């Protein structure tokens, strides 16, 4: 990673000793199916890596006051990688205790934070709506720490995946960054197309690394401006449905921006852009 890491969030000692817990308690708000778009993208794009992994462990970091997202992640990953296991990690002990009755084969819950209290190197870490509540200058250090915990690349594998981002309360709008052991790779915008007026509506769900950079002169601001312009130009396709308008919009956007996915994903109301094109200036 090229950004300079600042200090990590607050750490505390475990009551039982051992590795300190790193992070602070978040609001913990969650809802069933809130992360379905992110989960489906992970299963589609990272499923092959999970199938190849010797121990395909996925960590749901900061799952919140209820364990729904971890339960759902297990089901969605196993559709792509039947041996996948999910470990839910929460910094608030009461939330871990409340989640324990939901444990089953392939699903466990542990007390911890950004130190990731699991053995070995996970094939996946999902941190949704966690860094939203931290300062922007904490992001680089958290990313660096989490990427260092991922399964390494090698032997034909790109290594583990960190997916970090934000969505609305019912999962209609998401934006997330995908990172590997080497650092950030891509940014994905995903939405329920029937609820979208303009692509820039997704700006309010930009992850912490980008949300304060949606100002003139920053790449993400320029991208969203171009996205809106392409959406307006594709208005005639609206008569065929919002999906066809979105697909046409992304095809036009691809002329000037490094779109990394294909129409298969566009049809889901997604578009993925190379991180380097949207990275904050000076990153």
């Amino acid at each position: 990673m090229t950004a300079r890491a600042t200090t990590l969030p607050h750490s505390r000692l475990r009551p039982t000793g051992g590795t300190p817990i790193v992070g602070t308690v978040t609001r913990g708000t969650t809802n069933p199916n809130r992360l379905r778009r992110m989960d489906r993208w992970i299963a589609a794009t990272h499923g092959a890596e999970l199938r190849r992994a010797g121990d395909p462990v996925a960590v749901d970091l900061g799952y919140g006051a209820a364990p729904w997202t971890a339960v759902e992640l297990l089901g969605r990953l196993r559709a792509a990688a039947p041996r996948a296991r999910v470990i839910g990690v929460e910094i608030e002990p009461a939330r871990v205790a409340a989640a324990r009755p939901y444990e089953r084969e392939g699903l466990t819950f542990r007390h911890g934070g950004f130190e990731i209290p699991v053995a070995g190197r996970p094939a996946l870490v999902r941190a949704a709506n966690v860094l939203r509540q931290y300062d922007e200058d904490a992001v680089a250090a958290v990313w660096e720490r989490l990427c260092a915990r991922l399964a390494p690349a090698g032997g034909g594998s790109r290594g583990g995946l960190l997916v970090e981002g934000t969505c609305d309360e019912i999962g209609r709008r998401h934006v997330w960054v995908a990172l590997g052991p080497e650092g950030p790779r891509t940014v994905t915008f995903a939405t329920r197309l029937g609820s979208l007026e303009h692509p820039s509506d997704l700006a309010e769900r930009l992850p912490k690394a980008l949300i304060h950079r949606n100002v003139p002169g920053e790449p993400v601001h320029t991208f969203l401006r171009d996205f809106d312009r392409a959406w307006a130009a594709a208005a005639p396709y609206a008569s065929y449905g919002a999906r066809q308008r979105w697909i046409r919009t992304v095809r036009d956007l691809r002329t000037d921006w490094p779109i990394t996915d294909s129409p298969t994903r566009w049809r889901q109301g997604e578009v993925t852009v190379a991180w380097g094109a949207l990275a904050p200036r000076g990153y």
Side-chain angles (χ1 to χ4, degrees):
M1 297 176 67
T2 58
R4 181 180 299 276
T6 59
T7 56
L8 283 164
H10 178 71
S11 63
R12 69 191 78 176
L13 295 177
R14 293 178 182 276
T16 56
T19 305
I21 297 172
V22 181
T24 55
V25 176
T26 59
R27 289 175 297 174
T29 54
T30 187
N31 282 303
N33 270 327
R34 187 181 186 186
L35 303 182
R36 60 193 179 279
R37 299 181 194 281
M38 183 183 286
D39 289 352
R40 291 167 184 165
W41 181 88
I42 291 170
T45 62
H46 196 56
E49 290 280 0
L50 291 168
R51 289 192 295 273
R52 285 194 293 265
D55 186 15
V57 173
V59 173
D60 186 10
L61 180 60
Y63 56 83
W68 317 134
T69 62
V71 173
E72 293 165 352
L73 180 62
L74 179 65
R76 289 167 185 152
L77 290 185
R78 285 199 162 175
R83 295 183 298 110
R85 296 190 295 124
V86 172
I87 300 175
V89 174
E90 244 299 332
I91 200 166
E92 172 55 61
R95 296 174 186 172
V96 180
R100 286 266 160 80
Y102 294 87
E103 290 188 338
R104 64 187 72 172
E105 186 276 321
L107 178 63
T108 57
F109 297 92
R110 295 184 186 172
H111 180 212
F114 296 127
E115 78 285 356
I116 308 291
V118 304
R121 308 276 286 276
L124 170 70
V125 175
R126 185 188 66 183
N129 303 303
V130 174
L131 290 184
R132 179 86 169 187
Q133 298 171 61
Y134 285 82
D135 292 335
E136 182 184 4
D137 61 7
V139 172
V142 172
W143 279 3
E144 186 170 322
R145 181 166 191 136
L146 295 179
C147 287
R149 292 288 286 116
L150 294 173
S157 169
R158 296 189 69 193
L161 186 72
L162 166 63
V163 180
E164 187 275 306
T166 304
C167 69
D168 66 2
E169 289 73 13
I170 59 174
R172 293 176 304 172
R173 296 173 184 170
H174 291 242
V175 187
W176 61 79
V177 181
L179 307 92
E182 77 286 1
R185 294 174 178 170
T186 59
V187 183
T188 298
F189 298 79
T191 187
R192 180 180 179 274
L193 293 173
S195 69
L196 190 72
E197 291 190 24
H198 307 283
S200 60
D201 294 346
L202 287 159
E204 64 184 14
R205 298 301 164 184
L206 287 168
K208 180 59 75 169
L210 295 173
I211 194 165
H212 301 299
R213 303 306 183 103
N214 186 26
V215 294
E218 287 284 348
V220 70
H221 182 271
T222 304
F223 173 76
L224 290 170
R225 180 203 65 193
D226 289 356
F227 208 165
D228 277 354
R229 289 176 177 175
W231 180 254
Y237 287 82
S239 60
Y240 301 106
R243 177 175 295 160
Q244 292 305 314
R245 184 180 182 182
W246 177 269
I247 291 171
R248 180 63 195 187
T249 297
V250 177
R251 287 190 187 280
D252 290 346
L253 199 62
R254 190 172 55 177
T255 301
D256 298 310
W257 293 90
I259 307 299
T260 66
D261 54 0
S262 70
T264 299
R265 302 313 308 169
W266 305 345
R267 290 182 59 82
Q268 306 302 314
E270 299 171 8
V271 60
T272 298
V273 188
W275 164 259
L278 301 185
R281 295 204 179 280
Y283 186 89

